[in-house]
Amino acid sequence: LLSMNITSLYAGAYKDKNVALNVVSDTATATIDMRVPPTMHMQEVEDWLTIVLQPFPSITYTVEATVDERPCR
């Protein structure tokens, strides 16, 4: 079972270094911790993300860290 947890979320608009109220931000950033089970390959996860994000071409992602894949026991 692939698990995902949002660890940070940032969105907001600023004017003169103050939070602008009643403004819809044009960008947002999220950090998502994804735990890939040993029964799943990282390529499967990346393929799944490509399919899920296809309707949203402006969304991008970056893989910040990985571990070596190990065969299941």
Side-chain angles (χ1 to χ4, degrees):
L1 178 63
L2 178 68
S3 69
M4 294 180 278
N5 295 296
I6 297 173
T7 57
S8 69
L9 181 58
Y10 171 79
Y14 290 86
K15 182 178 180 179
D16 302 324
K17 297 184 181 181
N18 295 311
V19 175
L21 302 176
N22 202 23
V23 176
V24 177
S25 179
D26 60 349
T27 62
T29 301
T31 302
I32 301 173
D33 178 22
M34 298 179 72
R35 302 294 174 114
V36 180
T39 57
M40 189 177 234
H41 295 284
M42 187 60 190
Q43 187 60 53
E44 292 177 82
V45 176
E46 290 187 40
D47 293 344
W48 175 77
L49 280 171
T50 299
I51 292 167
V52 169
L53 296 177
Q54 194 171 21
F56 311 98
S58 64
I59 295 177
T60 60
Y61 71 91
T62 303
V63 176
E64 297 288 339
T66 62
V67 295
D68 294 333
E69 290 189 14
R70 288 171 265 169
C72 294
R73 294 181 186 184

